[in-house]
Structures are given as structure tokens and as C-alpha cells.
């Protein structure tokens, strides 16, 4: 055989891997997109349900407002902008996105976004165009970000087997919760989560400035992305501290963040008043510490301790802030101490979990945020991913029932289980974990299946109309707590691993 | 998707093929709220009809214009389904109150029956592929179980083709195994479900006669009578109750409505499209030259009304003409089957018969292309030429189904289905043929010059399509862009039939090519 120099073989291999990734990505992406289009055939939240409708109407209303009013009026209560009717309460990037999509809607279907008269607008074409705006955002932001992440994540790895990569892509793109919320319920999480995935990929490929830029954009699209901020902050800080000139590095990153923010907030920077007005819209403390039945600490414990009645909003704010910081501190310390790519991904999961558990004003859909890093870690933690996804789905079940999305809920859960079933390396693992995990998961799965049935068929007792919701919440909360402990422990175990490695190196 | 990680492993297990079925079923479930055609109401009405009327009135009832026009087994099938329909929602099976009933329950119920009845197709595919190597097997599964055409026709437009094609595949699998009697029996059952499948009956007849019944007078005669008895028994099971009630003439009248025209409302991409176009073109030129040509009063789709011909110049086409042409086109295949009845060839012959029926038949639906595209999938993995042919054929015939779904909501779905199918097909074929061709050469590497052998693999091994095929596919894209963007932009609502006609003509070219290719292959295949 013709001899090839070592680096050439390496390069060839890398090229083959890249081509393999591109081919399987294309295939899976088209399939995922098809699934998304199919989900979008189903009803959206608040369909045919006046006077407030649902998130669909909120997004449509924002298009109407941004399209017909100047930027300065977007966040101000006025005769033409009634903030009590789905007032804009997301950062300016969402507003710009609404404006861009509004232009599209106005071009094809002007009645859907005309000022005042379009309130509660519902039509075949209107629904279609709105759905297509989410689909196109997904294709333009989330899909490329996942591709970037997969390429970065698997380029440096010697063991990146083609089938594993394909499976990981499928898990990321076919996340049932994200698809149900974005294309069923109607939201644009794909944009902020896509930008976050892009930022994570940039961190993994050591492009910190790009990461800061992308993450700032994500924060400016949805303030909820702040769930990841501690992880980004600690990892990047830890990395900078290990460089030659930490101060310079940190200030470079800070400048990029400030610059991006300034750019996005430009129309509101001319006066302090305008700035504060937008800011106050973004933090709706008056909506209470939690909404509906969300499987987090405050909501679950409020069954016993009536937080909302016992404490003022001010003190609750402090409680939640303290608890959140306290719980994400261990993971932050770990990353500042020994920043590593793997640790960063666990850090994302842990900080998102602590925000979901303890922060102020959390709702069911916030579970999408811990779900994202879990899917990034899918190949290391397939069991964790499966568990958290099924639980997340379950915790959103009452919401999706209200939205009449039971059919896509069933189909997407089944699809997810089918994909998990085909995890390539799972067959070897299975025997080891049989004893404890199988019994427990069988029990939990059985519980959730029974609860699904009970929720759909039976009426709760009149004295406790939300009994089933509370039971679902309790079950999910217990499991989420377990998972939080597990992933925190896992992150700290990495540290032990690296210390051992360092010792070995020294000995050698 | 994810063909890679199924790789080479143990022999076919039911759980593996069920995985493919499960994934497809999830997508089909998601597609439940999509557009469905009047065929949905047709089948709903048949549920009501068979449930609430006695058997004697099934074929004579006229409550709705959608009268029962499938053979009795299909009516029995609807009767069986109607038992469950009655349990789900009694209004579904109510003869009068059920008319045009379209609540969520009826949609859900009927859609799920289609999804479940696809298990029949699954079993057929499983039988056909259980002895193949894993790569071929998975390619076939993907081509058939995830067929975009079946999704479009069965799960969106609404029909039970997957169920019926399942019987065809089961029958073919028996024939390939050499169990001719079972093959013939299942085919007879299929004919009693849907008589349109009878186009392949001559092939079946010749093949079974020569392969099963030939060889010695006594043995041959005994086998012939056994086969005849089986077929007669099947038909008796189907039609005897109607004979008993004196309904048989009415049944046949319903099943063969020759009052319909040469072409369906949307012209199926077959030979007659070119015939019509030629007639129009000739009339146009002759008129220009000053001849007085009358514009025909009848239409192609309207049926035979008196003596008036829909053609201005060319001779009138009658059902008899089309029948003769189908038989003529079939004859080379019949001769082959007579001379050398080989089990390995039967799938090709049957597919060829359906191609002939599609191209030259009377009042052909565009959906009938399923009858040959699905069986040909099992042939496509046999060698590189077949794969190339199938790649083109399945894209063209799937594209020719696009006019079935004309609403904006389904547009991205049909495009994505076709795109996904093409990508998967491309990846599956290139993975299969690159590996297969390189494998034997690697062993000889020691003696051979590597450069030469790698050149050979590039030439023979890789799955590439020719320049003509490639430009044809690009043309398909151009036709679609014309129909979707340029035509509405340039002409607004005028000449709205032109885009549809273009699709028919252009896909017709591809299917004609496929017919010629198949014919050539059959003629050239060596006798043993």
C-alpha cells in the first residue's frame, strides 16, 4: 500500500468524520424538520379561546405592536399599547425578531397584524404564517447551532463513532419537549436555546469572545437564559485565571458582553427612565414566585408552607435569590477551580437546575433549560437524559392537555423512546445497571403511566380540584431533586478524576 | 436516517423491523390533523353502509354518491372495522346522520385504522427480506416502510394502499420461496380486496402454469386442479353471498364503471397524456395551416357519451383499445415467464405488469404508481443499475403525487417527505454499493496496483447517476418552481391547468423511461 505520512492520515480521518457528520446531520435534520412541520399542524395554546387566548396571541400581538409603533413605544403603556393585554415582557432582541416576523406577516396577510383590529386574529393563513416563522427560526438558528456543537464536540475525540454521533444529533434535534412547546404550544425557545448551544460550542472550541457575543444575544432574546449565566461566568473566569494575563482576558470578555448589550439596547439607552421602564417589564415580580403547578421547590413545598401568604414578595425575592445562589455555588466553585469542557457541560446542567428549583417566577416550560445541557451530555449520560426528558414531558402534561396537544405528546414521547432504545452503546451498559435502576425506573414509569390515565379519565374530588396536578408535580419534583444531586456529584467527581490524572502525570 | 448504526448484525428479527414501523407510525400519528380528501368520507360512508344495511343492499344503496365500488373482501373488511367504529362513536356508522361527519373522533379512528392496517405491509416486507443480508434488508425496509408515497396517499390523502400492497408483497414472498400455491392463494385474496390489482393476473397465470403446474401430464393436471380449486374457493368466499342474494350483476356494475373517461380529473402521468398533447398540437398546427378543425365537445375525463370523440384528429380511444395495448405491452414479459419461469424474476415481472397497466390503462389514477414502485424497492438493492433506475423512478412517481395535496399547509410536508426520501435513498445506495465493490478488491491489494484498483472502484462502485438523469431531476425542480412561483406570478389565475399539465407531462416522461428500462431489462435477462 502507498504509505501516507501520519498527519495526512489524521487529516483524512478528520475529513471523513466531518463528511460523515454532515451526511447524517442532513438526513436527521430533514427528518426533524418534517416532524416539526407535522407538530405544527396541531392546535396552538389558546386557540379559539377568547378573550385572552394564549402564547400564540401574545407573539402575534408583539408583531402587531412592534410593526406599528416606534421602538420607544414598545415597552410603554399608552393608548395604542395596552400593556395589560399581552404587553411585551421579553428583552429587545425578541422585539426585533417580532418586528422582522411582523414584516413577513404583513406582506402576505396584512389583516393578521394591523393595529387594534387584529386582536385575537385567527385564520388558516395566519396560523400557517405564524407557524412558519417558528419553523424558519428553528432552521436558521437552532439547527446550525447543533451542527456547530456536534462538529466541535466530536472533532477532538478519537472515539467518535459514526453511529454514536448520529444518535446524539437525533437526540438533540428530536427533543420532544422543545418541539411541543415551540411548534405546538407556540414559542420561540429555539432562538434563545440555539444561541446558547452556539455559545457552548464556541466555549468548547476556545472562542471565548464569540461565546460571549452569542450568549449575550441569547440573554437578550429571553431573560430566562440567565439560568446558564453562572456556568458561563464561572467557566470563563476559571479559564481566564489560568492564562498569563487574567485581568486583560476578563476585561476583553466583559467588553464584548457590554458591547453586545449596548447594541441590542441602543434605542433605550438615551435616558435612564426608558432603560428602567424596559427593565421593569422584564422582571414581572408581581406575577408571584411560581405559576400554575410547576415541579420546583417553592411550588411543591407550598402544599405545606403557604409561602405566598406568609411572606411578602420582597422577602420571597431575597429567599429565592439566596437559595439559587447557594445551590449553584458548588458547581461554580468547581469550574473556577478546575475548568474543563466536560465540567462546563455539567455546570450548565447544575446551574439551570438550581434556577429551575429555586428562582423567582418559574413556570413549567422552564424545564426546557435544564433539558438542553442534559441533551448536550446525552452520550455520557444517556440514562440521565432519558429520565429527565420523560419527567420533563410529564411535568408539562397538564399544560399540554389544556392546549389539546395530547396526540403529538403521545407521538413524540413514543418517538423519543424509540430513539433512546436504539442507543448504540446502551446494550453493554444495560447489564451493569440492571439491579437497582431498573426496578426503580419501572416503578416510576408505571406511576407516571397510571397518572396519565387517571388525569385523562377521572375527575378530581370537588374539594381538591387540582389534586392530580399536585401529585404529578410532587412526583416530578422528587425525581428532579434526585437528578440535581446526581449531576452535582458527577461534576465534582470529574475533579477527583482530573486530580488523579495530574498525580499520575507527575509520577510519570 | 441512522442507517449506519444498525450495521451488520444478527438475522432479521421482528423487533428490528418494528422499530422502523414505530418511527413511521409516530410521524403518521402527527399527520392526523392534515388534509384528507373525499376518500375519507367515502370510507366513512362504507363503514356506515356495511354496518347498518344487510349484505344484500351493500352494492345497491344510493344514500350517498360514494357508493361501494371495491370487491366484497374490502366490504367485509369495512364491516369488521365498523364494529370498532360503533364502539368508538355510534354516529360514524349511522347511515344518514353520519354523512360528512368529520369530528375529531372519526378522524382519529379512521386514521388509526390505516396506521394499524399497515402492519399487513410490515409483514409482507418482513417475509420478503428475512433472508437478506442486513444492509440490503434495512435499505428495503426504509424504502417501503418509510415510503413517502404511502404517507402521502394513505395517511394524508386517505386510502388503504399499504394494507393491500401488503397482500401483494406476501404473495410475492411466497412465490420467491417457491411456495406457489400459497402465492396464488394470497393473490386471489388480494383480487377480492381490490380488483385493480388484476393487471398482473396474466403474469401470475403464466408463471403459475409453467412453474407450478408443468411437468408430467398427471402431476400437472392434479396441480392445476388444486390451484384452480383454491382460486375458485377464494372467489366463492367473496362473491357467493352476493350470488345468493341475486346481487352479482349489481356488484359487477359497481366495480367496473366504464362510464368514466380515459383520464382521471388530474391526468395520471402515463401514455395517454402524450396522446392528448399530440392531438392538441396537431389540431393547433392544422388550424394554423388553414384546415377547418372542429373543437371536440367531449372531455377526456367525462367518459364516453354517444359517438362524440374528445379527440380532434387522432382516433378515438375505447376501453378495448387500452385493454389490447396493455396486453401487447405485457406480451414480452409473458413470453419470458413462459420460457423460463424463475422465482427470482417474479417481482420484476409483476412490477412490470403494473407499469404497463399504469401507462396504457383506462381511467388510471396517479396513485396506481404505488403498485409498481413499492414491489420494485425489493429489486432496487440487487445491483447498481437497478438502484439507479429506482432512484429516478421513486422520485418521479412521488413527485407526480404532489397535486393530491394542494393546500398550503401540507406543502412543506410533501416537499420534506420527498427530500428526506431522496437523501436516505442516496445515502443507503451509496453506502451499500461503495462497500460491496471495494470489499473483494481489497483482498487482492497485494498483487494489484492500488491506483488502478481505486480507479476501478470509483468507476464501478460508487453510486452516481448519469448526466441525463441528473438534468431530468433538475428539470423536475424547474417544473415545481414554475408551478409554484413563476406561473402564479406571471399569469395570476389564468391558465391554472398549465402547472398540473406540466407535472403530468414531465413525470410521464420519467415513467415512460422507467417502462422502457424495465422492458429492456426483462428482454435482455438471459434464459437459463
Amino acid at each position: 500500500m502507498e504509505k501516507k505520512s501520519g498527519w495526512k492520515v489524521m487529516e483524512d480521518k478528520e475529513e471523513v468524520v466531518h463528511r460523515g457528520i454532515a451526511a447524517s446531520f442532513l438526513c436527521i435534520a430533514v427528518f426533524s424538520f418534517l416532524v416539526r412541520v407535522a407538530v405544527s399542524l396541531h392546535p396552538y395554546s389558546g386557540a379559539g379561546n377568547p378573550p385572552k387566548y394564549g402564547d400564540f396571541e401574545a407573539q402575534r400581538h408583539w408583531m402587531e405592536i412592534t410593526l406599528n409603533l416606534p421602538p420607544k413605544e414598545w415597552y410603554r403603556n399608552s393608548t395604542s399599547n395596552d400593556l395589560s393585554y399581552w404587553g411585551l415582557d421579553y428583552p429587545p432582541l425578541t422585539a426585533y425578531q417580532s418586528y422582522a416576523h411582523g414584516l413577513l406577516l404583513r406582506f402576505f396577510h396584512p389583516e393578521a397584524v394591523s393595529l387594534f383590529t387584529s386582536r385575537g386574529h385567527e385564520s388558516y393563513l395566519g396560523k400557517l404564517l405564524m407557524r412558519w416563522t417558528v419553523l424558519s427560526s428553528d432552521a436558521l438558528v437552532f439547527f446550525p447551532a447543533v451542527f456547530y456543537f456536534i462538529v466541535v464536540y466530536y472533532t477532538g475525540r478519537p472515539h467518535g463513532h459514526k453511529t454514536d454521533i448520529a444518535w446524539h444529533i437525533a437526540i438533540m434535534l428530536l427533543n420532544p419537549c422543545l418541539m411541543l412547546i415551540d411548534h405546538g404550544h407556540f414559542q420561540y425557545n429555539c432562538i434563545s436555546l440555539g444561541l446558547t448551544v452556539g455559545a457552548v460550542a464556541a466555549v468548547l472550541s476556545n472562542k471565548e469572545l464569540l461565546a460571549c457575543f452569542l450568549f449575550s444575544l441569547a440573554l437578550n432574546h429571553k431573560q430566562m437564559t440567565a439560568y446558564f449565566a453562572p456556568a458561563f461566568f464561572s467557566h470563563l473566569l476559571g479559564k481566564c485565571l489560568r492564562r498569563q494575563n487574567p485581568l486583560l482576558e476578563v476585561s476583553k470578555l466583559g467588553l464584548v458582553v457590554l458591547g453586545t448589550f449596548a447594541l441590542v439596547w441602543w434605542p433605550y439607552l438615551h435616558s435612564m427612565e426608558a432603560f428602567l421602564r424596559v427593565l421593569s417589564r422584564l422582571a414581572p415580580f408581581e406575577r408571584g414566585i411560581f405559576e400554575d403547578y410547576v415541579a420546583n421547590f417553592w411550588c411543591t413545598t407550598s402544599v405545606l408552607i403557604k409561602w405566598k401568604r406568609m411572606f411578602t414578595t420582597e422577602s420571597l425575592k431575597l429567599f429565592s435569590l439566596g437559595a439559587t445562589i447557594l445551590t449553584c455555588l458548588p458547581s461554580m466553585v468547581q469550574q473556577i477551580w478546575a475548568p474543563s469542557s466536560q465540567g462546563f457541560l455539567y455546570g450548565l446542567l447544575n446551574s439551570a437546575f438550581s434556577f429551575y428549583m429555586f428562582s423567582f417566577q418559574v413556570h413549567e416550560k422552564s424545564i426546557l433549560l435544564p433539558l438542553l445541557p442534559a441533551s448536550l451530555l446525552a452520550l455520557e449520560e444517556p440514562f440521565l437524559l432519558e429520565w429527565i426528558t420523560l419527567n420533563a414531558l410529564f411535568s408539562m402534561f397538564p399544560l399540554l392537555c389544556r392546549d389539546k396537544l395530547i396526540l403529538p405528546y403521545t407521538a413524540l414521547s413514543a418517538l423519543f423512546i424509540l430513539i433512546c432504545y436504539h442507543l448504540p452503546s446502551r446494550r453493554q451498559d444495560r447489564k451493569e445497571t440492571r439491579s437497582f435502576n431498573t426496578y426503580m425506573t419501572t416503578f416510576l414509569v408505571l406511576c407516571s403511566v397510571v397518572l396519565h390515565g387517571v388525569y385523562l379519565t377521572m375527575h378530581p374530588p370537588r374539594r381538591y380540584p387540582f389534586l392530580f396536578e399536585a401529585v404529578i408535580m410532587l412526583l416530578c419534583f422528587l425525581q428532579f431533586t434526585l437528578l440535581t444531586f446526581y449531576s452535582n456529584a458527577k461534576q465534582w467527581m470529574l475533579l477527583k478524576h482530573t486530580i488523579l490524572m495530574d498525580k499520575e502525570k507527575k509520577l510519570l | 436516517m441512522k442507517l449506519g448504526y444498525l450495521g451488520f448484525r444478527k438475522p432479521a428479527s421482528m423487533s428490528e423491523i418494528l422499530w422502523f414501523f414505530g418511527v413511521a407510525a409516530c410521524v403518521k400519528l402527527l399527520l392526523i390533523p392534515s388534509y384528507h380528501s373525499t376518500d375519507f368520507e367515502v370510507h366513512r360512508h362504507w363503514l356506515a353502509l356495511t354496518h347498518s344495511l344487510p349484505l344484500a343492499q351493500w352494492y345497491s344503496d344510493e344514500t350517498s354518491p360514494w357508493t361501494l365500488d371495491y370487491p366484497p373482501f374490502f366490504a367485509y373488511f369495512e364491516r369488521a372495522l365498523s364494529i370498532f367504529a360503533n364502539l368508538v362513536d355510534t354516529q360514524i356508522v349511522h347511515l344518514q346522520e353520519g354523512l360528512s361527519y368529520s369530528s375529531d373522533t372519526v378522524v382519529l379512528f379512521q386514521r388509526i385504522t390505516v396506521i394499524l392496517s399497515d402492519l399487513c405491509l410490515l409483514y409482507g416486507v418482513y417475509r420478503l427480506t428475512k433472508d437478506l443480508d442486513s444492509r440490503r434488508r434495512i435499505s428495503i425496509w426504509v424504502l417501503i416502510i418509510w415510503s413517502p408515497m404511502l404517507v402521502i396517499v394513505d395517511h394524508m390523502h386517505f386510502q388503504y394502499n399499504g394494507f393491500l400492497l401488503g397482500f401483494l408483497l406476501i404473495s410475492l414472498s411466497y412465490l420467491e420461496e417457491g411456495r406457489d400455491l400459497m402465492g396464488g392463494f394470497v393473490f386471489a385474496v388480494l383480487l377480492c380486496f381490490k380488483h385493480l390489482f388484476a393487471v398482473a393476473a396474466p403474469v401470475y397465470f403464466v408463471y403459475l402454469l409453467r412453474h407450478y403446474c408443468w411437468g408430467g401430464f398427471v402431476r400437472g393436471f392434479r396441480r392445476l386442479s388444486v390451484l384452480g380449486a383454491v382460486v375458485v374457493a377464494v372467489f366463492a368466499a367473496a362473491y357467493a353471498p352476493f350470488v345468493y342474494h341475486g346481487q352479482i350483476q349489481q356488484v359487477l356494475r359497481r366495480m367496473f364503471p366504464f362510464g368514466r373517461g380515459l383520464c382521471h380529473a388530474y391526468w395520471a402521468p402515463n401514455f395517454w397524456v402524450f396522446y392528448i398533447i399530440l392531438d392538441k398540437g396537431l389540431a393547433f398546427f392544422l388550424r394554423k395551416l388553414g384546415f377547418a378543425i372542429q373543437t371536440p365537445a367531449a372531455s377526456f375525463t367525462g367518459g364516453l357519451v354517444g359517438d362524440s370523440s374528445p379527440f380532434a384528429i387522432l382516433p378515438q380511444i375505447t376501453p378495448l383499445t387500452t385493454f389490447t395495448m396493455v396486453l401487447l405491452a405485457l406480451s414480452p414479459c409473458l413470453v419470458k415467464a413462459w420460457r423460463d419461469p424463475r422465482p427470482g424474476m417474479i417481482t420484476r415481472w409483476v412490477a412490470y405488469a403494473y407499469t404497463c397497466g399504469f401507462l396504457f390503462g383506462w381511467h388510471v389514477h396517479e396513485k396506481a404508481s404505488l403498485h409498481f414502485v413499492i414491489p420494485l424497492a425489493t429489486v432496487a438493492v440487487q445491483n447498481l443499475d437497478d438502484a439507479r433506475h429506482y432512484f429516478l423512478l421513486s422520485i418521479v412517481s412521488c413527485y407526480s403525487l404532489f397535486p393530491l395535496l394542494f393546500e398550503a399547509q401540507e406543502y412543506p410536508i410533501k416537499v420534506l417527505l420527498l427530500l428526506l426520501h431522496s437523501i436516505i435513498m442516496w445515502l443507503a445506495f451509496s453506502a451499500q454499493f461503495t462497500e460491496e465493490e471495494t470489499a473483494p478488491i481489497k483482498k487482492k491489494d497485494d498483487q494489484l496496483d492500488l491506483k488502478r484498483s481505486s480507479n476501478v472502484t470509483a468507476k464501478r462502485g460508487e453510486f452516481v447517476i448519469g448526466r441525463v438523469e441528473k438534468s431530468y431531476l433538475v428539470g423536475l425542480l424547474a417544473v415545481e418552481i414554475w408551478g409554484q412561483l413563476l406561473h402564479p406570478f406571471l399569469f395570476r389565475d389564468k391558465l391554472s391547468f398549465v402547472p398540473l399539465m406540466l407535472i403530468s407531462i414531465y413525470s410521464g416522461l420519467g415513467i415512460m423511461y422507467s417502462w422502457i428500462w424495465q422492458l429492456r431489462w426483462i428482454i435482455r435477462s438471459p434464459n437459463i
Side-chain angles (χ1 to χ4, degrees), chain B residues 336-349:
Chain B
K336 273 279 172 187
W338 180 270
R339 276 210 207 137
D340 175 29
R342 237 186 308 160
M345 290 291 291
I346 185 68
T347 309
R348 282 175 196 276
W349 290 334

Side-chain angles (χ1 to χ4, degrees), chain B residues 487-508:
Chain B
H487 188 88
F489 183 71
L490 294 175
F491 296 98
R492 301 277 160 183
D493 293 335
K494 273 181 247 162
L495 300 173
S496 57
F497 65 93
V498 170
L500 282 183
M501 204 171 73
L502 267 180
I503 295 178
S504 282
I505 296 171
Y506 200 77
S507 325

Side-chain angles (χ1 to χ4, degrees), chain A residues 1-2 23-24 26-28 30-31 33-35 37-42 124-125 127-128 132 162-164 166-167 170 174 407-408 410-412 414-415 418-419 421-424 427, chain B residues 1-2 4-6 9-10 15-16 18-23 25-27 29-34 108 112 407-414 416-417 419-420 423-424 427 445 450-451:
Chain A
M1 263 187 103
E2 196 184 324
S24 32
L26 182 69
C27 199
I28 296 167
V30 173
F31 178 73
F33 201 67
L34 174 69
V35 171
V37 178
V39 173
S40 76
L41 298 175
H42 293 264
Y124 178 81
L125 191 59
K127 176 187 173 186
L128 213 58
W132 284 353
K162 204 179 152 191
T163 56
D164 290 353
W167 184 80
L174 289 169
L407 183 63
T410 323
L412 289 181
L415 188 63
L418 282 171
I419 292 168
Y421 172 77
H422 248 289
L423 167 60
R427 291 199 161 71
Chain B
M1 194 179 62
K2 292 159 309 222
Y5 62 74
L6 293 151
R9 258 191 279 133
K10 52 194 187 293
S15 74
E16 255 179 282
L18 274 175
W19 186 84
F20 284 86
F21 178 78
V23 171
C26 290
V27 176
L29 277 176
L30 287 174
L31 288 174
I32 283 180
S34 64
L108 202 64
I112 287 175
E407 286 186 18
Q409 187 177 239
E410 283 75 23
Y411 187 76
I413 295 176
K414 62 183 184 187
L416 284 167
L417 278 170
L419 191 66
L420 182 67
I423 294 172
I424 291 178
L427 290 179
D445 260 356
L450 185 85
K451 268 195 178 171

Side-chain angles (χ1 to χ4, degrees), chain A residues 203 215 226-238 328 331-332 335-336 343-352 355 491:
Chain A
V203 168
F215 187 64
Y227 285 24
F228 298 126
F232 273 95
F233 173 76
S234 58
H235 178 78
L236 292 178
L237 182 67
C328 66
S331 126
M332 283 178 78
Q335 274 307 291
I336 295 172
F344 172 55
L345 296 181
Y346 280 103
L348 288 170
L349 179 59
N350 290 329
S351 70
F355 269 77
Q491 192 186 348

Side-chain angles (χ1 to χ4, degrees), chain B residues 277-295:
Chain B
I277 295 296
L278 184 67
D279 181 69
K280 295 253 177 213
L282 280 178
F284 180 76
F285 277 110
L286 290 178
R287 247 179 240 133
K288 283 261 154 159
L289 291 175
F291 291 92
I293 308 284
Q294 281 188 347
T295 314

Side-chain angles (χ1 to χ4, degrees), chain B residues 223-281:
Chain B
R223 287 196 158 189
L224 187 63
S225 22
V226 170
L227 186 64
V230 166
V231 173
V232 168
V234 169
F235 275 81
Y239 293 94
F242 299 96
V243 176
Y244 174 77
H245 289 292
Q247 281 281 310
I248 191 70
Q249 278 198 324
Q250 177 65 21
V251 172
L252 293 180
R253 209 174 303 138
R254 282 281 169 81
M255 276 166 56
F256 298 99
F258 278 110
R260 295 181 188 173
L262 175 63
C263 289
H264 188 53
Y266 156 66
W267 305 346
N270 62 7
F271 175 78
W272 303 118
V273 170
F274 299 105
Y275 193 80
I276 294 167
I277 295 296
L278 184 67
D279 181 69
K280 295 253 177 213

